[in-house]
Amino acid sequence: VYDTEKKQTIQMDLEQYTFNVLSGEMPASYELEALKAQAIAARTLAAYKLQGHACGRGGATVCTDFTHCQAYDDEEGQRAKWGAQYEAYSQKLWQAVNGTRGEIITYGGEPITVFYHSTSGGVTEDAANVFSHGEPYLVSVPSAGEESAPKYKDQVTLTRAQFASAINRLYANAKVTAASVESSVKVSERYASGRVKTLKAGNVTLTGQQVRTLFSLNSTHFNLSFTADSVIIETIGYGHGVGMSQVGANVMAKENNGYKEILAHYFQGVTIEKKF
């Protein structure tokens, strides 16, 4: 494991790594079965990396940069985050890790390319609509009961001038003006999930992902509205929407679904196997 903060590579037991990722990726307050599902997802990514897909940073199999591999907290980070609840949460997460020890998600006998995200906003996304290619197990599925999640809805408000300037700065041919934003900026196509596929902005067409990046949006599932002075971008969900919704997994766990049922819902046609 390459620790990107400490800039050092360390040898670590797979289950300790799974525990540290679990503590970094999912709130310890979540239901035990959701934590078990997340533990298996974390272990599966490590298993995939071990099979010829190593991270490479520092010569390691995986790194602690969540944008490159997975989020990760060591004991120092866990104690800082959990405070007085460190012992209780540590025991709970080890219960999730040990209760799934050695188990990973496979498809055709091989570890899957695992993806997960915070909040789907009611329906997950087909991987083919987000990444360079799809997988038969990474397809869009309903994810009910997420409405109470903290990041289910959010909004970004900019002045008309700020909005137009941001687009024109990156896409000079757009020629969007503060006065014309309402007439010249329209969502032109959406995926079945409701996420934006393309948006017309003056003379250019942007992908939903380009808009998300440009305005630091929570997701590509967004709607635009306009006032005399402002452009309001309202988002639904948080993250790329592919694979397991962590909030959705917690909802399923509260409804007495076990971790295998949760994983089978979000990753279609897979098998849970004890490989380690």
Side-chain angles (χ1 to χ4, degrees), residues 6 16 19-20 23 72-82 86-87 90:
K6 297 177 181 175
Q16 180 67 58
F19 175 85
N20 289 357
S23 71
Y72 177 100
D73 280 333
D74 58 14
E75 183 179 338
E76 182 182 354
Q78 291 156 7
R79 287 186 179 276
K81 182 162 66 176
W82 295 336
Y86 172 78
E87 295 297 339
S90 181

Side-chain angles (χ1 to χ4, degrees), residues 244-263:
M244 184 180 74
S245 163
Q246 294 169 318
V247 167
N250 199 43
V251 170
M252 287 187 69
K254 286 179 177 178
E255 293 173 348
N256 297 318
N257 291 285
Y259 69 90
K260 290 183 178 179
E261 293 168 291
I262 294 169
L263 293 171

Side-chain angles (χ1 to χ4, degrees), residues 57 133 140 157 167 173 176-177 194 201 217 245 251:
R57 293 184 179 180
H133 68 283
S140 180
T157 302
I167 292 175
N173 292 333
V176 174
T177 66
L217 306 179
S245 163
V251 170

Side-chain angles (χ1 to χ4, degrees), residues 11-186:
Q11 293 284 338
M12 184 177 297
D13 177 78
L14 176 61
E15 301 305 330
Q16 180 67 58
Y17 171 74
T18 300
F19 175 85
N20 289 357
V21 170
L22 180 57
S23 71
E25 285 286 1
M26 182 173 272
S29 59
Y30 273 25
E31 298 290 317
L32 182 61
E33 293 301 307
L35 289 164
K36 287 180 179 178
Q38 180 65 58
I40 292 178
R43 193 183 293 113
T44 300
L45 188 141
Y48 177 80
K49 296 281 188 180
L50 282 165
Q51 292 199 345
H53 305 282
C55 161
R57 293 184 179 180
T61 308
V62 288
C63 72
T64 62
D65 177 359
F66 78 93
T67 65
H68 196 252
C69 290
Q70 302 184 97
Y72 177 100
D73 280 333
D74 58 14
E75 183 179 338
E76 182 182 354
Q78 291 156 7
R79 287 186 179 276
K81 182 162 66 176
W82 295 336
Q85 292 178 293
Y86 172 78
E87 295 297 339
Y89 279 160
S90 181
Q91 185 177 5
K92 183 181 180 182
L93 265 63
W94 273 117
Q95 188 179 351
V97 172
N98 288 328
T100 62
R101 182 170 284 269
E103 293 183 351
I104 63 168
I105 313 164
T106 64
Y107 187 87
E110 298 296 322
I112 69 166
T113 306
V114 71
F115 286 100
Y116 50 85
H117 56 280
S118 167
T119 312
S120 78
V123 59
T124 68
E125 185 58 278
D126 193 311
N129 295 338
V130 179
F131 306 116
S132 57
H133 68 283
E135 296 288 355
Y137 48 82
L138 292 175
V139 295
S140 180
V141 298
S143 187
E146 298 187 12
E147 293 80 7
S148 62
K151 293 184 177 178
Y152 180 77
K153 284 190 176 180
D154 195 19
Q155 72 175 42
V156 172
T157 302
L158 304 102
T159 67
R160 285 171 169 254
Q162 286 172 331
F163 183 85
S165 174
I167 292 175
N168 293 329
R169 197 161 49 243
L170 282 185
Y171 307 97
N173 292 333
K175 300 192 176 0
V176 174
T177 66
S180 74
V181 288
E182 194 161 2
S183 60
S184 64
V185 178
K186 303 277 185 187

